[in-house]
Amino acid sequence: MKTLKFQYSPLWLILAWGSALLAGPCQAGYVEGMAAYERKDFITALQEFKPLAEQGGSDAQNRLAEMYDNGEGVPQDLKEAVKWYRLAAAQGNSTAQTSLGVMYYLGRGVAKNFNEAMRWYQLATESGSDRAPKLIGVLHYFGHGVPQDFKEALKWYRVAATRGNAAAQIDIGLMYAKGEGVAQDYQEAMKWFRLATESGSADAQNRVGEMYEIGQGLTQDFKEALKWYRMAAEQGHAGAQHNLGGMYDSGLGVAQDYKLAAHWYRLAAEQGHANAQNNLGSMYGKGQGVAEDFIESASWYRRAAEQGNATAQSNLGAMYAVGKGVAQDYKEAVKWYRLAAEQGNAAVQNNLGALYENGQGVAANRIVAYAFYSLSAAGDSSSANRAVDNLARLSGTLSAREIAIAKEVAREMTKPGNLLKALDKYLPKSTRTKKN
């Protein structure tokens, strides 16, 4: 039997036409404005929305606010955006109420105020918004303006989820996966992720893929993971593009293919995904799927390193240390190694120890070298970590007093967020770096 196919108009157009039938000619301008907005003709959209907004139309006021918020057809003006959001919100427009709450939450166009954000989220929730209760959950989850309370966050996520909010459904899944506010339950997490995929959420599709790749709450299945990653990646989800690149890179669920790995890494990297940028840098450094190019490799490592990616910081430091893709510069190597070391990267802590032992980029200091070797060995005591041998060798050259000092420096370094503070406190400022 042949299946009949029906073509549906976008929901906003149906609603707008419904409003036009009730409200008369002025609403027709809103329909035309929305049509222009959808085709990114912002100038025409502005010409349609502004008169309606000035006449008191809350939908038009909300759209005008969004255009000022995003700089669409007008110079971005957050204060003007707040003004129009407020006018629409005062009329009970739940979308504007939610957006006004977000402006207070982020401090965009107004002073940051979590209490005001909560007030507007609550009004929007009462008006039927599916997004606002999710954002109330966020306030409780992070303890912004209220005491941190995972159970309360979960309660509000459930309100949003029952209204069909996919982001809230994902948040519930994450709380089950982490055991936050509920007993850890991977199967329950997967249930919520799958529910969110029904609305086409790329983020949810990526989460389902991750569950299959890791094998949490179900049998590990790389091919199934690949399927879900591809669905999300084709929607432009950067995390899924990175994950799909990783599957091709490692040959999991698919034949290993460095060219396709580099292709998907690049798509994610161009969206600013730090892990993908680091991986693409590695592909250029090894000539896998792309022509070997150390300059390009260093460029991608730098983009990821500047976002705080510890592996990329380590890789960029290594390129400065050996002079690949960049001029050799031990001082610059130390700079990037220090940033990676503070994040607990054992390999880079060993590398820093070697630079301090040999006086490359810094004044030689065997006590600091010992401290770094000690940190590295504690983080990775495997025979593959050179820090283990370096520590044993250096121990034979230091006095008992020097070793005691080095151990104290290492202890201070291990305190959360204190590695660089402890190092700089111990070292005289004049000896922290030196010219190459």
Side-chain angles (χ1 to χ4, degrees):
M1 180 182 291
K2 187 175 181 180
T3 302
L4 296 177
K5 293 184 179 180
F6 297 92
Q7 184 172 355
Y8 294 94
S9 297
L11 180 59
W12 65 261
L13 189 56
I14 295 171
L15 294 176
W17 275 113
S19 297
L21 291 173
L22 293 173
C26 77
Q27 282 296 325
Y30 183 78
V31 173
E32 292 165 1
M34 281 305 306
Y37 187 88
E38 288 293 314
R39 64 175 182 266
K40 298 189 183 301
D41 180 359
F42 298 129
I43 300 300
T44 299
L46 183 69
Q47 290 171 347
E48 297 292 346
F49 290 148
K50 195 163 187 179
L52 296 175
E54 289 171 345
Q55 291 172 35
S58 68
D59 288 338
Q61 289 170 341
N62 179 64
R63 287 293 176 181
L64 188 58
E66 290 174 348
M67 295 183 78
Y68 278 110
D69 197 350
N70 300 318
E72 295 168 332
V74 290
Q76 187 180 52
D77 188 331
L78 299 181
K79 289 186 177 180
E80 192 70 7
V82 168
K83 165 190 154 183
W84 289 107
Y85 280 141
R86 195 182 301 280
L87 288 170
Q91 296 190 65
N93 186 298
S94 64
T95 303
Q97 289 169 337
T98 304
S99 296
L100 185 55
V102 171
M103 301 298 271
Y104 274 108
Y105 181 78
L106 298 176
R108 288 169 56 83
V110 289
K112 183 179 288 191
N113 188 322
F114 294 140
N115 291 331
E116 272 298 288
M118 176 69 87
R119 183 171 79 86
W120 286 107
Y121 292 159
Q122 288 172 335
L123 287 171
T125 298
E126 291 168 6
S127 298
S129 168
D130 66 287
R131 184 183 174 213
K134 189 264 193 219
L135 296 176
I136 292 175
V138 170
L139 290 171
H140 287 287
Y141 184 89
F142 291 105
H144 290 163
V146 291
Q148 187 179 49
D149 188 331
F150 291 144
K151 289 185 177 180
E152 191 68 11
L154 185 64
K155 181 188 87 173
W156 286 103
Y157 288 155
R158 287 188 188 279
V159 172
T162 58
R163 296 181 181 183
N165 187 282
Q169 292 163 350
I170 293 169
D171 284 338
I172 294 172
L174 289 171
M175 294 190 79
Y176 273 106
K178 298 175 185 177
E180 295 175 332
V182 289
Q184 190 175 55
D185 187 332
Y186 292 126
Q187 290 183 344
E188 190 69 10
M190 177 61 98
K191 183 190 89 172
W192 285 101
F193 292 153
R194 281 191 177 278
L195 181 61
T197 67
E198 293 177 7
S199 61
S201 167
D203 191 23
Q205 292 167 347
N206 182 58
R207 299 286 182 186
V208 170
E210 290 174 339
M211 298 290 276
Y212 274 112
E213 182 181 359
I214 300 169
Q216 289 181 324
L218 39 70
T219 302
Q220 189 177 51
D221 188 331
F222 294 135
K223 288 186 177 180
E224 194 68 13
L226 188 80
K227 180 188 85 173
W228 287 100
Y229 285 152
R230 191 181 303 281
M231 290 170 66
E234 288 175 350
Q235 289 197 63
H237 190 282
Q241 291 169 341
H242 166 258
N243 289 337
L244 186 56
M247 301 294 276
Y248 279 109
D249 196 352
S250 304
L252 297 176
V254 68
Q256 190 175 53
D257 189 325
Y258 290 134
K259 285 187 177 180
L260 280 174
H263 166 74
W264 288 108
Y265 283 153
R266 187 183 304 280
L267 289 176
E270 288 173 348
Q271 292 193 65
H273 193 287
N275 286 337
Q277 291 170 339
N278 175 69
N279 291 345
L280 187 58
S282 179
M283 302 291 276
Y284 273 108
K286 298 174 183 176
Q288 293 178 328
V290 291
E292 185 180 87
D293 187 332
F294 294 127
I295 293 176
E296 193 70 8
S297 176
S299 173
W300 284 108
Y301 283 150
R302 187 180 306 279
R303 295 185 204 189
E306 288 174 349
Q307 292 195 64
N309 185 285
T311 304
Q313 290 168 344
S314 173
N315 289 335
L316 185 58
M319 296 193 83
Y320 274 109
V322 299
K324 274 191 175 182
V326 292
Q328 188 178 48
D329 187 333
Y330 288 124
K331 188 174 180 180
E332 194 69 10
V334 169
K335 165 190 162 182
W336 291 108
Y337 279 158
R338 278 168 56 100
L339 291 172
E342 189 170 34
Q343 296 189 60
N345 188 303
V348 81
Q349 289 168 348
N350 172 69
N351 293 345
L352 260 180
L355 292 176
Y356 274 102
E357 184 177 3
N358 299 319
Q360 294 172 313
V362 290
N365 191 312
R366 292 186 303 163
I367 289 176
V368 171
Y370 184 101
F372 273 117
Y373 289 149
S374 178
L375 282 179
S376 179
D380 178 10
S381 59
S382 69
S383 59
N385 187 1
R386 296 179 183 177
V388 177
D389 292 335
N390 289 337
L391 187 61
R393 173 183 50 75
L394 191 58
S395 295
T397 69
L398 297 176
S399 68
R401 181 175 177 277
E402 287 173 322
I403 290 176
I405 294 172
K407 286 182 177 179
E408 177 58 28
V409 172
R411 274 193 295 272
E412 287 298 310
M413 286 180 169
T414 59
K415 294 178 180 178
N418 199 52
L419 187 147
L420 296 183
K421 291 178 183 177
L423 177 63
D424 290 341
K425 182 178 179 181
Y426 170 73
L427 289 172
K429 189 173 183 180
S430 60
T431 66
R432 291 175 193 170
T433 60
K434 73 171 188 177
K435 295 181 180 179
N436 288 326

